[in-house]
Amino acid sequence: MTNNAPPQAQPNQDGDHVSLTTPLLSRHRSTPNSSSQVAIVGANICPIESLDYEIVENDFFRQDWRARGSIHIFQYIFMKWLLCFLIGIIVSLIGFFNNLAVENIAGIKFVVTSNMMLMGRYGMAFLVFSVSNLVLTFFAASLTAFAAPVAAGSGIPEVKAYLNGVDAPGILSFRTLVVKIFGNITAVSSSLLVGKAGPMVHTGACVASLMGQGGSKKFSMTWKWLGYFKNDRDQRDLITCGSAAGIAAAFRAPVGGVLFALEEMASWWRSALLWRAFFTTAVVAIVLRGLIDVCLSGKCGLFGKGGLIMFDVYSKSVSYHLTDVPSVLLLGVIGGVLGSLYNFILDKVLRFYNQIKKKGFVYKIFLACFISIFTSCLLFGLPWLASCQPCPFDAAEACPTIGRSGNYKKFQCPPDHYNDLASLIFNTNDDAIRNLFSKNTNSEFQYSSILIFFVTCFFLSIFSCGIVAPVGLFVPVIVTGASYGRFVGMLVGSNSNLNHGLYAVLGATSFLGGSMRMTVSLCVIILELTNNLLLLPLIMLVLLVSKTVADTFNGNIYDLIMKAKGFPYLEAHAEPYMRQLTVGDVVTGPLQIFHGIEKVGKIVHVLKTTRHNGFPVVDEPSVSQSAVLYGLILREHLIVLLKKRAFLSTSVPTGDHALRPFSAEDFAKKSSGNSDKIEDIELTEEEMEMFLDLHPFTNTSPYTVVETMSLAKALVLFREIGLRHLLVIPKIPSISPVVGILTRHDFMPEHVLGLQPLLITSRWKRLRIRFPNLLKLLGSHAG
Amino acid sequence: MTNNAPPQAQPNQDGDHVSLTTPLLSRHRSTPNSSSQVAIVGANICPIESLDYEIVENDFFRQDWRARGSIHIFQYIFMKWLLCFLIGIIVSLIGFFNNLAVENIAGIKFVVTSNMMLMGRYGMAFLVFSVSNLVLTFFAASLTAFAAPVAAGSGIPEVKAYLNGVDAPGILSFRTLVVKIFGNITAVSSSLLVGKAGPMVHTGACVASLMGQGGSKKFSMTWKWLGYFKNDRDQRDLITCGSAAGIAAAFRAPVGGVLFALEEMASWWRSALLWRAFFTTAVVAIVLRGLIDVCLSGKCGLFGKGGLIMFDVYSKSVSYHLTDVPSVLLLGVIGGVLGSLYNFILDKVLRFYNQIKKKGFVYKIFLACFISIFTSCLLFGLPWLASCQPCPFDAAEACPTIGRSGNYKKFQCPPDHYNDLASLIFNTNDDAIRNLFSKNTNSEFQYSSILIFFVTCFFLSIFSCGIVAPVGLFVPVIVTGASYGRFVGMLVGSNSNLNHGLYAVLGATSFLGGSMRMTVSLCVIILELTNNLLLLPLIMLVLLVSKTVADTFNGNIYDLIMKAKGFPYLEAHAEPYMRQLTVGDVVTGPLQIFHGIEKVGKIVHVLKTTRHNGFPVVDEPSVSQSAVLYGLILREHLIVLLKKRAFLSTSVPTGDHALRPFSAEDFAKKSSGNSDKIEDIELTEEEMEMFLDLHPFTNTSPYTVVETMSLAKALVLFREIGLRHLLVIPKIPSISPVVGILTRHDFMPEHVLGLQPLLITSRWKRLRIRFPNLLKLLGSHAG
């Protein structure tokens, strides 16, 4: 977020002492909050709207609510379950289609290349390989850059921000969905070191959002019967289910999907939602299971029996003893250090890429193409460094294999020999992971090959992640982690009861834990991926260690990206210094207030000259000598009233008649970017002189805080309930019954610190700089 | 909860019409809220206190907070993790000890009995069997009845209510812990059809609570360095972790434990808590794993290699096709119907038992002994009904087995024959489940035996559950479900690809889903119990169907028990009719208000004559003509002030000096039942005439609502933030700056409907009676 007023730090040598004895701040009404909320969405700077989860309890709502029969209630509930069912079906079909397409496109590429190499035409093979990669990358990058720049990246930060109440334009549109699907297929097929899990989450969220809105208006694909949930609350629920379905489809991990949505994505959660997300992912699991049965009969081309991503490492008797614990702990520590380093470098690279991308389309696409060519050279060139190994006598699989899949790649080697580095690097990522996880192959890889592979993956995945294409992070992180895990396993060698494949699993776990910092959800995803419950205690141990180590250095990768993009994410806990401030210290003016019966001209003027979304409605003094707060009215509702021209000629209220011309449909939330604008409403001079009775449309139960409430507590209220506006009322009755309105922006640390420069020098701030994560922890404890 | 004023329903034939056109309620200040909050805790009626999760932001807190260095913060965080670690260690040791004790006590009993039967001394065998059961039950029941009646039952409803903010005396005390452990061991060993998982949850919660309070004061076992977390927020976190550890230790299901705590137990959840609960259960998993390694070497007596409850049903290739789905769906439907029936009967039986138990100790113990004798007769008598079966040629295990464990019990049969009913019924519950889950034993059981077993289990578990001993529900439900699951499997026979053991697993899942209504957590617990991830889609399907079917009939078993016990559980969603009410309609008087500088005599008088826990503090009129709300002060803080005698001789404030005599320790929350009472403080006449400056100790940031706020929205605020007091302020400035205080009780549907009898006849109420669960769903959607 841009913070236009640079905090003017006033050097204060004696800050500690001062802060202990005097109030930190002089009470003053702050200057207008002029910093706008923008975010970098797909390398463009976009305005951001907040979502509103509050129920608008006005007369209209109450009548509508009372008039609803049990049929309506049944219909609502039935539709909500039906939508979850449909989301599950569609997301699983898309996930399956993605995998099918990737496996076939990449598969054909590898088969053709390998055949050429078998004939000794190495130069031609490289040409075919690199050109096909380049074409695929070019397609993905140009599609994304021209059609929907928002679709670039994994999409998880965007969806996470949306579920926190931040609506950036276009992130859940139909166009984004299409680009996400096809862009991701081509990007992954082009042998870039990128994943498909993150994009599947975004895809799931898009599907859910479109279903909830009843289709896409722009592409005139709308189904009225679906448009039942045109409000932010229901949309939030559906999108949470959609993102759970996305992970479930990507990893065939239904329980992991629910937990991922719960732990990483959602900012608000209810047990009813757990139940519905579980239903959605169960549908995904069952559909995928059916489709794989179809594929097992060989009707899916090169989409083999490996199925979706699924690395079965089950062995009947995994036995491990106390002696294995040190090496597992070591893996955890390595994962934590490497994970936080990964996050750090990735953040820097993304910021650097953003500078390049800002220069225009050509630069964006050139960058992607450059990365593609670089990747092709590495993938094709590095295996030549590895020496050929003779095939083992007792190999469980064919050795060497030609074409794709299989543990032992022939590459340039003579017959009965294989190239171990090629088996990893000259392969799809899924197959590389499968090779690393494989058991009874302890002597397959050389130290040097694994090390080269690890370094390549580590940096290549960082450089590939920021290109303008829909690419995810999960698979690169798994592959990188598995490589050093296997390396550690080889070092430990026969001193351990665990085979090298299990070390690779633990390595992947540790690197995931170190960079993504999830706990339960990662644990379950890994278990579901590897189908080995006996590893559970070791996986938990590794995750605990790696997350703890990494948390001391920096934050979770998605939070870093979200911050870099500028989404005003509202944390659940308050910063410690917010306890020293009251809401009166941060509330900004000037405040626009409407009267209960207001002149049309004034409403139009205010709507045109401000960008506020909620306005307090006050009633004229009657018994008391000061005005009385009646409630809060929303901009979008005012625009509906103006459009319907339900005006009064005099300032006398008409009562319930005012509600007649309106239906619930009128007040339904428009999909993002499609809302009506005040500029589109043309009113005559005469109409401008008329009046509007705002009472029936005013939310009479807005949440309020007294101006002396501490900012930290107001933040807890704002965040826990999911508000867009929080009215501040005066402590001592004064002329105006409302002091101001707090919005998301007023709680952002950047804004608060900008208003209160003294805080920068106070000890909290210094403590915060010294131990950023420590205080975060403390804040979350105390909150 | 008792509701002393029976709602006076005013018959109104035209309720629907009236409610649509006129305001539902005339505005009137209600009568004093005199109904007391009590619950049936262990068959006694106990007063209930609410817990307070709000941070008291007074001057004292702010100074204390600012004075804390980073050392304090480190110490706090370190101690919190250390406590979680210790909770994990202790709970896993207790869980292991429980299992060891049960396996050995019950094991010896079965070995002795079987040996006697082998010698043909059947009468003697029955005598030994039933007398040993009776003695064990008598011990468990009398221990519970005399030492800690609170420890009876599973304890899950009590802990769930505690985590919702309801504190009943003694439920987490050291005495309860001891009784819970030993009572449960003896009850389970006595062959009653009762479980040990629920009591483990309660045990975990007790351990966590005692650790957080730094030991038990009553037994003079206190460690000062542990007493770091003497406030309700930190206690809540620890107890959540403790209950997760309980399930983890009972089922060796660490991930399932976290999810159980999240889905079933906790009312508030933060991602930091997920992480800490995960840590706790990881410790449990690792410790248990180590202990089992010790036992595998045969040093644990009869505690065999079965380990803890762990039913390994892994088979390399579970294949199932579309044809298996109908029978799985059937299982789901049966589970839903039976589960809700089970809940219904259990609720009735528990209420009937309560009538008996109220009559006194003798009745309680007699009831338990009667159930024990009845159970012994059934267990020993029923197998005689079953005909002896010849041992199969290809049995994987010894046939017949003598003593305990094993699939084929000899019982009264001739050599080379076994009694299939005895294999199930004359066995520990764990072994019965293991037999039912076993694969490659499709022809082991006869239809009649399974059916007899199912009916016996269904009713026996209902009648055993309510006795005055620490007994759980999980294992009885699993055993009952597994029996009809196996029965369905036998009916389907060779038409299915699934073996009968897998049908038993699915049956157990369906019955769990039908009675406990959990989703993700049950799914993961079943997976961790059976160690077979390939079943996942089927398990999800069964859970979905059984929960959906059962939800149409009644609620979750723990909620029913909680309701029967009278805990004022605060739901997360508002009842629909609450949208028609404002907080002004339910707030009750008279209100006791203190001035900023108040006379000691008045404070003492108010504290002695009321039982309120929070009092508004108002300042005298200064600039405006009406008094100003300064904040809220708590009863316990007032008592601390009175005890310290920090009085002023005149009504002039002294500023920060007032804080001097106090340390943070003074304001720490006392453990339940140990708080100081106003009656214990003796003040002289002179002191009563002095003054107290309440300002520095008043929470200046209490949450407030305007009196016209809708009750539904106030409930959301109250519940989401976890308040104990919610101040209601007037809409129009009046003489008093505060209209009243809302507490948990004011939001209870019973209380609201009692105050507003008109609502009973209104359509919402009727709708609510017709479709109780439907509206609950709707409420949770709209909330």
Side-chain angles (χ1 to χ4, degrees), chain A residues 340-604:
Chain A
S340 54
L341 185 68
Y342 186 84
N343 290 3
F344 177 78
I345 303 179
L346 185 59
D347 188 43
K348 297 283 170 233
V349 169
L350 287 182
R351 283 169 195 269
F352 172 67
Y353 275 14
N354 256 340
Q355 300 302 318
I356 299 178
K357 288 192 214 158
K358 267 186 201 155
K359 294 184 181 164
F361 285 118
V362 180
Y363 284 86
K364 286 187 199 179
I365 291 166
F366 179 77
L367 180 66
C369 292
F370 175 76
I371 297 287
S372 170
I373 294 170
F374 182 65
T375 305
S376 297
C377 293
L378 280 182
L379 299 197
F380 200 89
L382 285 175
W384 299 90
L385 296 179
S387 55
C388 290
Q389 303 284 313
C391 281
F393 296 105
D394 55 347
E397 296 188 57
C399 175
T401 45
I402 297 147
R404 55 180 297 277
S405 275
N407 268 348
Y408 305 98
K409 278 254 169 182
K410 188 170 178 299
F411 208 70
Q412 91 291 16
C413 290
D416 285 330
H417 282 68
Y418 70 96
N419 184 322
D420 61 341
L421 188 50
S423 307
L424 296 174
I425 213 168
F426 194 64
N427 218 336
T428 61
N429 297 326
D430 294 0
D431 285 329
I433 296 173
R434 215 168 275 128
N435 286 351
L436 287 169
F437 283 3
S438 65
K439 53 181 182 255
N440 304 327
T441 51
N442 282 0
S443 55
E444 183 183 349
F445 301 105
Q446 305 169 70
Y447 287 103
S448 59
S449 304
I450 289 275
L451 214 55
I452 292 173
F453 183 64
F454 161 65
V455 174
T456 314
C457 287
F458 188 85
F459 290 103
L460 213 48
S461 65
I462 288 175
F463 290 114
S464 312
C465 170
I467 66 166
V468 56
V471 294
L473 268 171
F474 257 100
V475 169
V477 166
I478 292 176
V479 96
T480 311
S483 61
Y484 73 74
R486 184 110 188 176
F487 187 75
V488 170
M490 286 160 68
L491 285 181
V492 176
S494 58
N495 296 324
S496 166
N497 301 297
L498 298 170
N499 69 53
H500 297 178
L502 295 182
Y503 269 103
V505 171
L506 294 175
T509 310
S510 74
F511 199 47
L512 280 170
S515 78
M516 309 207 167
R517 315 286 167 83
M518 288 168 273
T519 53
V520 187
S521 52
L522 269 185
C523 184
V524 173
I525 289 173
I526 295 282
L527 288 180
E528 292 188 284
L529 270 180
T530 57
N531 192 23
N532 194 340
L533 266 165
L534 298 176
L535 276 182
L536 181 57
L538 291 184
I539 287 178
M540 293 180 95
L541 191 64
V542 162
L543 279 176
L544 285 175
V545 175
S546 66
K547 180 174 153 76
T548 309
V549 169
D551 268 347
T552 56
F553 295 114
N554 53 21
N556 153 354
I557 183 77
Y558 295 122
D559 288 347
L560 289 179
I561 298 178
M562 203 159 54
K563 208 162 189 176
K565 293 203 169 195
F567 290 113
Y569 187 86
L570 203 60
E571 297 284 349
H573 59 267
E575 300 281 339
Y577 56 78
M578 290 185 181
R579 300 219 174 272
Q580 312 287 341
L581 295 172
T582 67
V583 292
D585 295 325
V586 299
V587 76
T588 51
L591 188 66
Q592 295 291 352
I593 289 179
F594 289 129
H595 294 291
I597 305 216
E598 185 61 88
K599 242 177 134 175
V600 173
K602 177 170 177 206
I603 295 174
V604 171

Side-chain angles (χ1 to χ4, degrees), chain A residues 19 54-55 57 66 270 276 528 531 533 536 579 629 701 703 710 713 731 763 780-782, chain B residues 19 54-55 57 66 270 276 528 531 533 536 579 629 701 703 710 713 731 763 780-782:
Chain A
S19 70
E54 195 181 349
I55 293 178
E57 287 193 353
R66 273 189 250 174
R270 300 172 292 113
R276 203 167 290 119
E528 292 188 284
N531 192 23
L533 266 165
L536 181 57
R579 300 219 174 272
L629 175 66
S701 292
Y703 286 99
S710 89
K713 284 192 155 186
K731 187 185 184 74
R763 55 193 294 275
S780 71
H781 289 298
Chain B
S19 71
E54 195 182 347
I55 293 178
E57 287 193 352
R66 271 189 251 173
R270 298 172 293 112
R276 204 168 289 118
E528 293 188 282
N531 193 22
L533 267 166
L536 181 57
R579 299 217 176 274
L629 175 66
S701 291
Y703 286 98
S710 89
K713 284 191 155 185
K731 188 185 183 77
R763 56 194 293 273
S780 71
H781 289 298

Side-chain angles (χ1 to χ4, degrees), chain A residues 200-235:
Chain A
M200 270 310 295
V201 172
H202 195 168
T203 303
C206 286
V207 169
S209 168
L210 291 171
M211 301 288 288
Q213 283 165 13
S216 169
K217 218 175 201 173
K218 212 177 272 171
F219 294 86
S220 57
M221 290 160 48
T222 50
W223 299 275
K224 194 146 187 235
W225 57 275
L226 272 180
Y228 234 79
F229 303 103
K230 293 193 171 179
N231 63 68
D232 291 335
R233 277 185 318 286
D234 288 324
Q235 281 283 52

